[in-house]
Amino acid sequence: SKGGQKGALIAAVRRRPTSQERQIEELLIKKSITFTRQALVHGDTRRFVVDFALPSEESPKIIIEAKSLPNKFRKDLQMISLAWRIIKMKQKYPGLLALVWLEGEIPPSALQIVKDEADYVALNEPVENLSEIVETVTKHRSRV
């Protein structure tokens, strides 16, 4: 229902950032990269909350999703949901780049689901590597 979706969006936007999200935010600020944290990106029929949208949620060129998955349960479903969200956002914004930063033990089959849709997937990599990726993407594609 629309009321349930609206409530879920409000809760997602208000949630506290994870340590991984704080590290990414600090890195983007340090590099003077314009971004929106907990951005509400509009798809064709629904809205999606993403961890970071560069340069803004109104016209995203790059989205960054940071997920920490410490427990063993439901990782396949979480990766399917993430891949579906990426597909829907790319339908609305065809040039959109999706960068996904994952922490934890993720089964290869679940990881492949996201790799098929995202432009870059990092598993248990230091957040500092994100800086190089964003800089490379922005220089070569003149996106942000």
Side-chain angles (χ1 to χ4, degrees):
S1 73
K2 290 195 180 228
Q5 182 185 1
K6 185 176 182 180
L9 289 172
I10 290 169
V13 170
R14 288 185 179 167
R15 77 171 176 75
R16 294 169 46 140
T18 64
S19 63
Q20 187 183 26
E21 289 170 351
R22 281 193 299 272
Q23 289 176 346
I24 292 171
E25 183 174 12
E26 289 170 6
L27 187 79
L28 294 173
I29 290 170
K30 181 179 167 185
K31 295 291 184 177
S32 300
I33 297 173
T34 304
F35 68 94
T36 303
R37 192 180 78 72
Q38 292 300 315
L40 187 61
V41 177
H42 291 267
D44 286 330
T45 57
R46 20 182 351 153
R47 297 169 292 178
F48 302 99
V49 177
V50 298
D51 294 331
F52 299 94
L54 289 74
S56 68
E57 61 189 359
E58 293 82 23
S59 61
K61 306 289 186 209
I62 300 172
I63 60 163
I64 302 171
E65 284 289 323
K67 300 286 179 220
S68 181
L69 305 169
N71 63 26
K72 298 178 182 179
F73 304 104
R74 301 175 51 107
K75 290 184 182 181
D76 287 337
L77 291 176
Q78 291 176 353
M79 294 299 102
I80 291 169
S81 173
L82 180 57
W84 179 81
R85 291 174 42 219
I86 291 169
I87 290 168
K88 291 299 181 184
M89 285 184 277
K90 283 186 170 193
Q91 286 174 348
K92 173 82 175 191
Y93 305 99
L96 182 74
L97 284 173
L99 308 177
V100 179
W101 227 257
L102 301 170
E103 286 183 344
E105 292 183 32
I106 300 173
S109 60
L111 186 60
Q112 190 60 46
I113 292 167
V114 174
K115 282 185 173 183
D116 288 344
E117 303 307 330
D119 296 291
Y120 185 85
V121 178
L123 178 61
N124 298 320
E125 287 186 28
V127 173
E128 291 76 29
N129 292 355
L130 177 66
S131 174
E132 294 175 30
I133 296 163
V134 171
E135 287 176 5
T136 301
V137 166
T138 56
K139 283 180 188 175
H140 287 91
R141 298 196 182 193
S142 301
R143 292 180 165 269
V144 180

